[in-house]
Amino acid sequence: MFPGGRMGVLNPSDFVNSTDVDEEIVRLRRRLARERTARTTAEGIAERGLRALYLSQQRIELLHRIAAKANAAADTREALSYAIAEICTHTGWAFGHVYLADETNRDLLVAPQIWFSANPEPLMPFITESLELQFARGVGLPGRVLDTLMPIWLVDLGNADNFLRRDVARQCGLHSAFAFPVCVQDEVVAVMEFFARENLAEDAQFLELMAQIGVQLGRVIERERFTAKLYFDALHDSLTGLPNRALFAERVAIALERRERRPEYGVAVLFLDLDGFKFINDSLGHQVGDDVLVATGRRLADVLATQAAAQAAAGADWPMITLARLGGDEFTVVIEDFDDEAAVHAVANAMLGALAEPHLVDGNEIHSGGSIGLAFAHKPGATVQGLLRKADTAMYEAKARGRGQVAVFDKVLQQRASTRLQTENDLRGALRREEFQLYYQPIVELKTGTISGFEALLRWQRRPDELVAPGHFIDIAEETGLIVTIGSWVLREACEATARWHRRFAHRKPVTMSINVSPRQFLQPGFVEFVETTIRETGIDPATISLEITEGIAIANPDRAVHIMTELRALGVKMSLDDFGTGYSSLGHLHRYPFNTLKLDRSFVLGLGEGSDRIGTGIVQAVLDLASTMNLSVIAEGLETNRQRRHLRGMGCEFGQGYFYSKPVSAESAELLLVNAR
């Protein structure tokens, strides 16, 4: 109601301007359009994000599938084949292919026939050419990847530089490609390449994914290499790279199995041992010895390969041959699939011929021939160890004949081997059955004829009517290790006898006891302690014990030998060098060792007193002069005649032993000699 009591009608124009309404409507419409645009944009962003997320998930799943398959794959080929197929399926690309780095030339890529295509027929010209090509470093798409270690994407193959398959790619309708390396550390071991029908822009994220796949596949190859190396190392000699004992035994076993199925299938084993190799090691050192072994293995392998190649060129049949190194200076060969045994002898003679030439090591010529034992599998049921043992026996026969020869295992050697085996079996129980005896040969002072001591000599009463000298069983005892136990018994028995004589003949100067010590016994850990215990328990004066060792023991391990001898001398025990003059380097090394006595070998005594043996007499005089200079006493062995005795005494030799005075006698007879001695 208006003032004054009047009624009025509401009119929009009374409070809203029509122009303002139109502007508001326009503003609202613009706002609605902006919101609609924003919503559409947001939906587009969300859709693209979801699409990207989906694509990322798909790629991650692809990586996981390939990684899982790679870890479970039996070998590299299986892993690469799976990866090629998965990548092609995932991307829809038309063709995928692998090149591997050549094992002998890492600058060359070769095709191992690993590829995939969902529809290969239209692409066969391109596929065929790809499988036939090889790529050098830097050449073509694979070669560029090999050179740069980086993935490469080609958008337009028709205009791509350094792409050798441009024409055949155009013919097959291929337009884009990418390739990436498979690496083990910094080494490219494979290149994987893929081709598409479309012109596709480079996808950096996708190439990053491919790089990760390359890492996974590289681990498969690295693992396979490591496994292969373990397997190779387990079956090959680490020094020469030749098959070792295990692989050699496997090859012989396979050959013998073939022979069981085909009796005419020839099988033989060669056993080669280098002549004089121990001297090379001892005099020139183990490094030079190793160099000689490597050179020997290479030379033997070369001559066998040359023989095989020559026979193949001539169209002649030639046996299968495997060369191996068993250890030390021992090489073996298994020869199989031959009809004529003359072929085996030809192989053996060729090997000996190869070793006739000297080796050149550090500018020095080193000669090292060999001796070969040969054994044929003539009878059914032959075994690896049996055949090898026969060849080994034949090899020792070759050495016995003068070295540098080939000896064949035959019936004579079979009988000899059987006898040796029986000797070994009997020897194992001899100590338990108390079959060993000690005999004693007097050592006499040449001027007075007085017994100054004895040498303890081992005998084996093998049977009631068979007394065996050491020469027939000591080598076997040494090889089997029985010598350690036997030698301990000898040492104790001799010390007990000597201590007993000292007590009984206390009125006279105590006799000495010379006791032979074998190489294996001398170098055995705890030997010095055993000698000390024996001295204490038997009560013997250590100054009356003289342990005899050979030159071979002294030069086999000089530092250890000197150490052991020094410890024995500290106990009061004397040391004697047996068979002086028969070894390799007596004069050159004698001053290093703390010897008390030299025992002059019987071979130098034999001709003394004979007018025609002036050289032998001169050698003996030189030894006596050397001993005098070094304050060593000399015992002449093998003294058999009065003429020899007079000659030695006139030359200044102090002691002698031999049949002229007495043959080796039992302990009871030795006591009688002391009773009757002046």
Side-chain angles (χ1 to χ4, degrees), residues 118-371:
N119 184 22
E121 190 64 28
L123 304 177
M124 284 314 298
F126 186 82
I127 293 174
T128 300
E129 184 166 329
S130 297
L131 296 179
E132 292 175 350
L133 284 175
Q134 297 181 349
F135 288 93
R137 181 181 297 276
V139 177
L141 176 59
R144 290 169 61 193
V145 174
L146 174 65
D147 189 44
T148 62
L149 278 71
M150 298 293 292
I152 295 176
W153 190 294
L154 301 179
V155 176
D156 182 6
L157 297 181
N159 296 309
D161 294 332
N162 197 4
F163 183 68
L164 305 186
R165 292 164 284 174
R166 181 185 298 108
D167 293 340
V168 70
R170 183 184 300 110
Q171 173 189 339
C172 295
L174 297 174
H175 294 90
S176 297
F178 74 86
F180 64 91
V182 176
C183 296
V184 173
Q185 298 179 0
D186 293 332
E187 175 193 355
V188 175
V189 293
V191 172
M192 304 183 75
E193 59 176 10
F194 297 85
F195 299 87
R197 296 184 181 280
E198 301 82 7
N199 287 94
L200 300 175
E202 180 175 333
D203 185 339
Q205 291 183 344
F206 182 71
L207 287 182
E208 176 62 29
L209 173 68
M210 294 300 103
Q212 294 180 47
I213 289 175
V215 170
Q216 294 296 328
L217 294 174
R219 289 172 180 168
V220 176
I221 296 176
E222 186 174 25
R223 185 180 70 233
E224 186 171 298
R225 282 183 176 181
F226 182 71
T227 302
K229 185 179 185 305
L230 287 179
Y231 184 76
F232 183 90
D233 291 346
L235 296 175
H236 290 79
D237 172 49
S238 60
L239 181 64
T240 63
L242 294 173
N244 62 11
R245 182 183 294 271
L247 182 54
F248 179 76
E250 180 181 308
R251 296 281 175 85
V252 177
I254 293 172
L256 292 176
E257 288 175 3
R258 291 171 179 152
R259 190 180 185 282
E260 290 297 317
R261 296 191 297 269
R262 296 166 48 197
E264 75 282 1
Y265 191 88
V267 177
V269 166
L270 288 173
F271 197 115
L272 182 148
D273 187 88
L274 298 183
D275 296 330
F277 180 74
K278 186 175 184 300
F279 175 63
I280 294 173
N281 254 352
D282 293 340
S283 59
L284 301 179
H286 289 280
Q287 182 58 54
V288 173
D290 286 349
D291 291 342
V292 170
L293 290 175
V294 171
T296 298
R298 187 182 304 118
R299 187 176 293 182
L300 293 176
D302 288 345
V303 74
L304 294 177
T306 300
Q307 266 197 320
Q311 294 297 320
D317 291 333
W318 196 244
M320 295 169 54
I321 300 175
T322 298
L323 169 68
R325 178 184 175 229
L326 294 195
D329 59 339
E330 297 174 341
F331 294 83
T332 51
V333 177
V334 57
I335 306 173
E336 54 182 302
D337 195 15
F338 57 85
D339 299 321
D340 188 353
E341 293 184 357
V344 178
H345 287 277
V347 171
N349 290 326
M351 292 172 67
L352 285 184
L355 297 181
E357 295 297 322
H359 297 288
L360 190 63
V361 178
D362 294 334
N364 298 315
E365 283 192 354
I366 299 176
H367 294 265
S368 178
S371 300

Side-chain angles (χ1 to χ4, degrees), residues 60 112 139 159 184 194 203 205 244 300 327 354 405 409 462 468 509 545 572 619 668:
I60 290 173
V139 177
N159 296 309
V184 173
F194 297 85
D203 185 339
Q205 291 183 344
N244 62 11
L300 293 176
Q405 300 186 33
F409 188 86
R462 188 174 184 181
V468 185
K509 181 180 178 181
I545 300 175
I619 292 174
E668 293 77 10

